Amino acid sequence: MGTSNFDYFLGALVLIVIAGIFAGLSAWFEQNGRIYGLDIDGWGHLINRLKNNGHDLAGLFQDPSMFRGPVIPFLFGLSYYIAPFEETVLVLNVIAFSFAVGLLFIAFCHLGGNHVIGTLAILFWLAYLYAERGIFGYYYGEPIFTLLSSFLFLTVGMLVIRPRLWIALISGGTAGLLLLSRSPFLLVVSCIPFILWFHLDPKVRKKVILLFTISFILVFSPWTIRNLIVHGEFVPFTTQDAFQGFYLKGDSMPTNYNRTILEFKNLEGEAKKLNEIERQRYWFNLSFEQIKQNPIGQVRLIVRKTLRFWVYLPPHSWVPTLKTFIFSIIFFPLFCYGIICFRKHFLVHLCTMWFVCLWFVHAMLHTELRYNFPVMPMMFVLAIVGLFHLLSNLTKVQINLGVFKFGKSFQDLEV
């Protein structure tokens, strides 16, 4: 290990500790004033099974949730099995988030950035998450999604910088786990082979992409095959996608808000009379009916969901909250400017693909502000290089940050 690599890992360790303290304190303070049940979204349903069935390990492997999928509930249940306290899942989320921070820092440094870019991206992310720190106080899945996404981001980058067949296998398997955990990453995973094809040496790219694809299929397909055999239905992800595809009154609001509307409560009451597969068809049919009745309204809804990935819009309002509006006004132009200025760099390609692909899918399906949680560091990297480029032009000062060279005398380098 060279000195620079040691420095990267030392920097990652420091940020892991900082992230752990931030997430741990956030969970602690949220618990002191918590007014909702720990498991708001239903990710921890296996924990109730362990409580009710005498802490039987076999319960973790039986009847996985069609609504939530097999990955996150299993991890949450396993953590509770190891340490049977309700707060154990919160500790797991703190650990997952902390390691995700370390992986992203290493990725940003090794794929073209340096300590400054990597550290600022993480610190901006932590500052941004201060308003969303309640994520760490409940059984939310975002920290686990982020850990899987960060590891996949790093391994895809490693495949381009230093192609290895074993890395292709690990990367493909991670992509399968990520997609089983969170279906909106579908477009991100689908675009990875194209990124690899564009950046890899022609001598190795076919073999690398083939191994990535095989590994992905081996990890992802058993869930689909199992659903076909057990339920006789093609369910590649979860039945939750059908439920979240339906939007009442033309607005994409969280389920708890919709449940305050009598019409939605009645529709959900009818759905509860059906089994899991029938329920999926029920919500799909309602969604398709909405689209046919008001296609223009669906386009308007897509615009709202596109905005909601960046800012918080109150119900049926187009006026964002002040804090999220100020944030978007500052960082969105810098994000776009960074992409334009350094459009030849691999790190920029990867960050752009990761962020934009997840954003696009949520704009089509369902968006809440916290859904940008796993990809905000990628956005901050692009905004940071855009900011440094702008400052360099304004001050005429030359800045050298990894492969990013700011100032007229520097040649634009490509990775």
Side-chain angles (χ1 to χ4, degrees):
M1 182 185 298
T3 304
S4 60
N5 284 338
F6 177 78
D7 289 343
Y8 287 145
F9 281 102
L10 183 61
L13 182 60
V14 172
L15 288 174
I16 286 172
V17 172
I18 292 173
I21 293 172
F22 170 81
L25 288 176
S26 297
W28 175 268
F29 288 125
E30 188 67 32
Q31 288 304 295
N32 289 336
R34 179 167 58 85
I35 57 176
Y36 300 107
L38 271 172
D39 191 11
I40 296 175
D41 279 359
W43 291 105
H45 67 92
L46 291 181
I47 294 173
N48 291 328
R49 183 183 298 177
L50 289 173
K51 288 180 179 179
N52 298 330
N53 296 338
H55 211 66
D56 183 10
L57 180 62
L60 294 177
F61 300 92
Q62 298 171 355
D63 299 323
S65 170
M66 293 290 290
F67 190 76
R68 283 301 181 190
V71 178
I72 308 299
F74 174 79
L75 292 175
F76 282 6
L78 181 62
S79 70
Y80 179 82
Y81 180 82
I82 294 171
F85 303 96
E86 286 194 338
E87 292 77 14
T88 303
V89 176
L90 305 183
V91 176
L92 174 66
N93 274 343
V94 169
I95 294 171
F97 174 71
S98 301
F99 277 95
V101 163
L103 291 172
L104 286 174
F105 174 79
I106 292 172
F108 295 152
C109 291
H110 278 279
L111 303 183
N114 68 352
H115 289 80
V116 175
I117 291 176
T119 301
L120 285 178
I122 297 302
L123 293 180
F124 279 175
W125 189 28
L126 294 179
Y128 174 82
L129 289 178
Y130 181 76
E132 294 288 332
R133 59 193 181 277
I135 287 175
F136 300 105
Y138 294 91
Y139 286 10
Y140 284 122
E142 272 71 18
I144 306 293
F145 307 147
T146 305
L147 177 61
L148 291 171
S149 171
S150 303
F151 187 69
L152 180 60
F153 184 89
L154 175 61
T155 56
V156 171
M158 290 169 64
L159 278 175
V160 172
I161 301 301
R162 193 174 292 109
R164 296 290 185 272
L165 299 184
W166 63 272
I167 298 178
L169 291 171
I170 292 174
S171 186
T174 304
L177 280 176
L178 177 60
L179 201 52
L180 285 173
S181 304
R182 192 67 166 171
S183 60
F185 277 95
L186 174 63
L187 192 56
V188 173
V189 172
S190 300
C191 286
I192 289 173
F194 295 100
I195 284 279
L196 295 176
W197 183 272
F198 183 76
H199 285 281
L200 280 173
D201 188 311
K203 296 178 182 178
V204 299
R205 63 188 178 193
K206 289 183 180 179
K207 188 178 294 185
V208 167
I209 293 172
L210 178 62
L211 288 176
F212 175 90
T213 305
I214 291 173
S215 180
F216 167 78
I217 293 173
L218 288 174
V219 171
F220 181 78
S221 61
W223 172 248
T224 306
I225 295 170
R226 177 257 179 199
N227 293 335
L228 279 170
I229 295 172
V230 175
H231 299 284
E233 189 82 5
F234 179 70
V235 184
F237 306 113
T238 63
T239 56
Q240 178 192 10
D241 300 315
F243 177 70
Q244 288 200 327
F246 176 72
Y247 304 109
L248 192 67
K249 306 296 185 184
D251 205 356
S252 173
M253 292 299 294
T255 302
N256 286 339
Y257 172 82
N258 287 334
R259 284 174 177 151
T260 64
I261 303 172
L262 180 61
E263 183 182 351
F264 184 88
K265 290 173 68 175
N266 292 335
L267 291 171
E268 192 175 27
E270 291 298 316
K272 289 179 179 178
K273 300 175 184 178
L274 307 173
N275 64 39
E276 197 74 42
I277 300 302
E278 292 171 338
R279 202 174 299 156
Q280 175 178 250
R281 296 173 187 153
Y282 173 81
W283 291 114
F284 269 138
N285 290 336
L286 286 175
S287 299
F288 291 142
E289 191 63 31
Q290 273 191 333
I291 295 171
K292 287 190 289 185
Q293 288 179 358
N294 187 11
I296 301 301
Q298 295 303 308
V299 174
R300 175 181 176 274
L301 182 57
I302 288 173
V303 174
R304 288 185 63 79
K305 288 184 287 185
T306 301
L307 293 174
R308 277 215 169 101
F309 198 77
W310 275 89
V311 299
Y312 179 78
L313 295 178
H316 309 292
S317 171
W318 289 89
V319 180
T321 55
L322 182 61
K323 289 181 180 179
T324 58
F325 175 73
I326 292 173
F327 167 81
S328 62
I329 285 296
I330 294 173
F331 282 97
F332 183 70
L334 289 173
F335 163 75
C336 296
Y337 185 64
I339 294 173
I340 294 170
C341 292
F342 297 98
R343 57 191 177 275
K344 296 180 180 180
H345 291 267
F346 169 61
L347 179 58
V348 173
H349 292 175
L350 199 59
C351 287
T352 303
M353 185 273 284
W354 226 266
F355 186 89
V356 172
C357 284
L358 188 65
W359 185 10
F360 178 83
V361 172
H362 276 300
M364 297 297 109
L365 298 177
H366 175 65
T367 301
E368 296 179 32
L369 193 59
R370 64 184 167 92
Y371 289 172
N372 65 25
F373 184 99
V375 293
M376 289 307 284
M378 291 74 168
M379 185 282 297
F380 281 124
V381 165
L382 301 176
I384 288 165
V385 297
L387 175 63
F388 275 113
H389 190 278
L390 186 63
L391 291 175
S392 177
N393 287 341
L394 292 175
T395 62
K396 308 302 179 184
V397 174
Q398 297 175 3
I399 306 173
N400 183 351
L401 296 177
V403 298
F404 299 100
K405 315 294 181 179
F406 308 93
K408 292 185 177 179
S409 65
F410 283 118
Q411 295 294 319
D412 193 30
L413 302 182
E414 297 183 27
V415 177

